[in-house]
Amino acid sequence: MTKPITMIPELENNTSFMLGLAYKQFRTIANQTLAVECDITLEMLGALRVLAHLGEVPQQALAEALRRERSVTKRLVDNCIKRGLVEVHKSELNKKARYLVLTPKGVEVKDKAHQQLSALVDDFYSPLTKEERGLILSLCKKLIRDDIFLTGE
């Protein structure tokens, strides 16, 4: 039998509430560690990972990869630029387009943050078996819709 979390049956039996609570707890732990160790947030690490994978891309491509609205992505990018993790270049063809690329510092911080986060993930998910972790991932992928982009949190 599992231990009660909220003592409120309507919340205890609500999958969305529990899924959200688990994510918020993980996000809190991750953001606290990443802030101290790397001066970044979990969202910023996501942006660094996208840029490391895709290389130099328009800001819109970053927003699409992160499934976030443009205005939220702009704030995220601005915070990365302030920390010297990302550089912006204007396109010769489209003067409005902002092209983003990781700086050497951005690569270094991404790698350090990845190591920090890997340890946190292992600890956070330690109550689950490998199979349960895989099941959660596959179920979450089934729930994610293509037509919804995230706003600021």
Side-chain angles (χ1 to χ4, degrees), residues 54-70:
L54 297 178
E56 186 170 323
V57 296
Q59 186 167 305
Q60 181 61 34
L62 176 63
E64 290 168 4
L66 293 173
R67 309 216 26 93
R68 298 176 83 69
E69 290 184 348
R70 287 185 342 195

Side-chain angles (χ1 to χ4, degrees), residues 16-80:
S16 297
F17 178 81
M18 289 295 166
L19 190 61
L21 185 57
Y23 169 70
K24 288 173 186 172
Q25 286 186 350
F26 175 77
R27 185 175 169 210
T28 297
I29 294 165
N31 277 333
Q32 287 171 349
T33 299
L34 292 175
V36 169
E37 300 294 329
C38 305
D39 190 32
I40 64 170
T41 64
L42 197 54
E43 288 77 14
M44 292 168 76
L45 177 57
L48 299 180
R49 286 174 164 173
V50 169
L51 293 174
H53 182 77
L54 297 178
E56 186 170 323
V57 296
Q59 186 167 305
Q60 181 61 34
L62 176 63
E64 290 168 4
L66 293 173
R67 309 216 26 93
R68 298 176 83 69
E69 290 184 348
R70 287 185 342 195
S71 61
V72 175
T73 304
K74 183 181 181 326
R75 282 192 304 274
L76 180 63
V77 167
D78 289 346
N79 284 325
C80 289

